[in-house]
Amino acid sequence: MMIPHMIPYANPGYFLWLLVAMIPMVVLLLVKGVRWQWYQILVTCAVLYVSFGGALWQQGVALIGYVLFQTLLVYGYHKLRQQKNSSGLFYAAVCLAILPLTFVKVTPFMTGHGSIMNFLGISYLTFKSVQLIMEMRDGMVKTYHPWRYIQFLLFFPTISSGPIDRYRRFEKDLLHPPSKEDYLVYLEKGVSKLMLGLLYKFILGYFFGQVLLPVVTREALDHGFLSWGMLGYMYVYSLYLFFDFAGYSLFAISISNFMGYDTPANFNKPFLSPNIKEFWNRWHMSLSFWFRDYVYMRLMFTLLKKKVFKSRILASNVGYFALFLLMGVWHGLTWYYLLYGAYHASLICINDAWLRWKKKRSQPLPSNRWTKALGIGITFHAVCFSFLIFSGILAQLGCK
């Protein structure tokens, strides 16, 4: 019987195939506390075939070529990194690691159509590759096992929608399955996240995305920027984006838990954040922390070490704009993604300035549940406005 193409976590049929495939893994971990690596590889191949087979065979070929390229690149860097000119080698390796993603992002802008190198999840795999190269340079990863690295890249629960795991954490889980007692906790978490994901993705996400969003979109486009329709669109789209994406992340973490992996969380009640910095510590956390650790902190270290700016505050603000503009470019080379990045960088800078001003006051400002509620409200509306920019509806409005 032919296995049909299925988008990961997009329909009940995908879950049916996946949960049936999970049964031997679950039984082995429950009864013996062991994991058959060969069976996990077999399921991985089946899931990749289901995800990238049929009409998407070109994406499957691109994925295979990409993984081979990254595996050889990291192997080469690992072998040569002890040379005297290791700094130049490091930057060359990082540039080569992001080259396929850069090509994929630039091609539509230059040619008007997508790249043949593109496949679902290329961004997440690129972040994993760059991460490992950087950690090798820092001495945090001292040995390289190509087969483990390939399993890290092709870990199917997270390949399409994240979260972005760390290699050392994944390798630990890969080599050391949980005990039977610990696996019961994993299983409980997996079931809980699966149920919550179903609520988010197929009930709330469907309601906001399929029922309400088309209605408010028409109203917004018909009545323009300064209209109730646009205001409704802003909130509906923001809630749809959260429930849909958080639902996907919950599914990925849930399936990981069933397999005995403790994949990190991706969302933590972001709309209850009292300020914009806290929001980015709760929204798409694995991406936020990746950019923080591998872009912002390293950029700040360079700016301060080289004394590019005399003021640490100015260096920090420049770092925020570089970080969020890069995040905007990662989403796509369009003006509204760049504006989205610049807007969030501005919010972060304003938030820091506010904190500095509060610290300098002789009399502290009140801090209680009411001021916290006010902060949550302001942050929620500011974030929703950013998602209005991110959605691209303003570009559609300008084309009318």
Side-chain angles (χ1 to χ4, degrees):
M1 183 176 63
M2 294 293 292
I3 299 177
H5 163 69
M6 299 180 190
I7 299 173
Y9 311 125
N11 57 69
Y14 182 84
F15 286 95
L16 180 61
W17 282 102
L18 200 55
L19 292 175
V20 169
M22 292 292 103
I23 292 174
M25 293 187 186
V26 173
V27 171
L28 273 173
L29 286 166
L30 271 177
V31 176
K32 295 185 177 181
V34 298
R35 185 190 296 123
W36 284 340
Q37 287 294 333
W38 66 267
Y39 184 75
Q40 181 174 317
I41 294 167
L42 181 64
V43 173
T44 298
C45 293
V47 171
L48 293 179
Y49 174 74
V50 167
S51 302
F52 297 100
L56 296 183
W57 67 268
Q58 290 178 317
Q59 287 195 28
V61 172
L63 171 64
I64 294 171
Y66 176 91
V67 170
L68 290 175
F69 169 76
Q70 295 290 359
T71 302
L72 293 173
L73 173 64
V74 176
Y75 176 79
Y77 176 72
H78 174 71
K79 288 295 184 182
L80 300 174
R81 74 187 193 284
Q82 301 298 337
Q83 294 183 357
K84 290 184 178 180
N85 189 27
S86 60
S87 180
L89 181 65
F90 165 73
Y91 290 113
V94 170
C95 289
L96 286 173
I98 64 175
L99 184 62
L101 178 61
T102 303
F103 185 79
V104 165
K105 294 294 184 181
V106 170
T107 297
F109 181 76
M110 300 295 293
T111 65
H113 55 79
S115 168
I116 60 172
M117 295 174 60
N118 194 18
F119 59 86
L120 188 65
I122 186 173
S123 294
Y124 297 108
L125 268 62
T126 300
F127 294 144
K128 289 181 176 181
S129 300
V130 172
Q131 169 209 139
L132 185 56
I133 291 172
M134 289 185 171
E135 292 191 346
M136 280 183 174
R137 187 205 190 194
D138 295 343
M140 300 167 70
V141 176
K142 300 183 183 300
T143 59
Y144 176 62
H145 302 276
W147 185 237
R148 294 179 196 170
Y149 177 61
I150 291 173
Q151 289 177 281
F152 173 61
L153 290 181
L154 294 180
F155 187 60
F156 68 84
T158 62
I159 192 172
S160 63
S161 57
I164 306 166
D165 207 349
R166 302 296 172 98
Y167 177 77
R168 288 175 295 152
R169 198 220 61 75
F170 175 85
E171 186 181 43
K172 182 180 177 181
D173 281 0
L174 179 68
L175 298 178
H176 306 286
S179 66
K180 289 184 284 185
E181 294 75 15
D182 290 339
Y183 183 63
L184 287 173
V185 178
Y186 279 59
L187 204 55
E188 182 181 358
K189 291 193 300 182
V191 172
S192 175
K193 287 179 171 58
L194 179 61
M195 294 299 104
L196 187 59
L198 292 172
L199 172 65
Y200 277 18
K201 168 67 180 171
F202 293 116
I203 298 179
L204 296 174
Y206 177 85
F207 175 70
F208 285 107
Q210 303 300 319
V211 178
L212 291 184
L213 192 59
V215 176
V216 294
T217 301
R218 287 194 299 270
E219 286 293 316
L221 292 175
D222 288 344
H223 295 92
F225 180 70
L226 298 176
S227 67
W228 291 111
M230 187 64 72
L231 189 66
Y233 173 87
M234 181 177 79
Y235 294 118
V236 169
Y237 177 80
S238 298
L239 292 172
Y240 160 69
L241 187 66
F242 167 70
F243 286 119
D244 185 74
F245 195 10
Y248 271 108
S249 295
L250 285 167
F251 291 148
I253 298 169
S254 171
I255 299 302
S256 301
N257 292 157
F258 289 150
M259 296 171 63
Y261 291 83
D262 194 20
T263 297
N266 220 14
F267 292 89
N268 181 22
K269 302 175 183 177
F271 289 143
L272 296 181
S273 305
N275 58 64
I276 194 64
K277 269 193 171 180
E278 184 67 18
F279 171 80
W280 280 107
N281 287 329
R282 295 168 174 240
W283 176 274
H284 204 346
M285 294 153 61
S286 63
L287 178 69
S288 300
F289 297 159
W290 190 96
F291 272 100
R292 179 198 66 191
D293 295 343
Y294 299 106
V295 178
Y296 177 77
M297 296 302 295
R298 293 167 187 269
L299 176 60
M300 284 297 297
F301 176 79
T302 301
L303 292 177
L304 295 175
K305 182 180 179 181
K306 302 291 186 181
K307 298 181 179 179
V308 177
F309 302 104
K310 294 181 179 180
S311 168
R312 189 181 184 90
I313 295 173
L314 178 59
S316 179
N317 290 343
V318 169
Y320 286 137
F321 272 92
L323 172 67
F324 281 100
L325 286 174
L326 180 61
M327 289 180 67
V329 169
W330 168 64
H331 283 102
L333 291 173
T334 56
W335 65 266
Y336 49 86
Y337 288 141
L338 294 175
L339 180 59
Y340 169 81
Y343 174 77
H344 268 286
S346 301
L347 291 181
I348 294 279
C349 293
I350 293 170
N351 183 76
D352 279 1
W354 166 252
L355 294 176
R356 290 193 300 270
W357 180 80
K358 285 204 307 179
K359 191 175 182 179
K360 290 179 180 178
R361 284 178 56 88
S362 57
Q363 295 294 328
L365 293 175
S367 179
N368 51 50
R369 61 177 181 174
W370 300 110
T371 57
K372 183 179 180 181
L374 178 62
I376 292 173
I378 293 173
T379 303
F380 173 72
H381 294 298
V383 167
C384 287
F385 184 74
S386 78
F387 289 146
L388 174 67
I389 299 171
F390 178 86
S391 71
I393 194 172
L394 300 182
Q396 297 180 50
L397 199 62
C399 293
K400 291 191 67 176

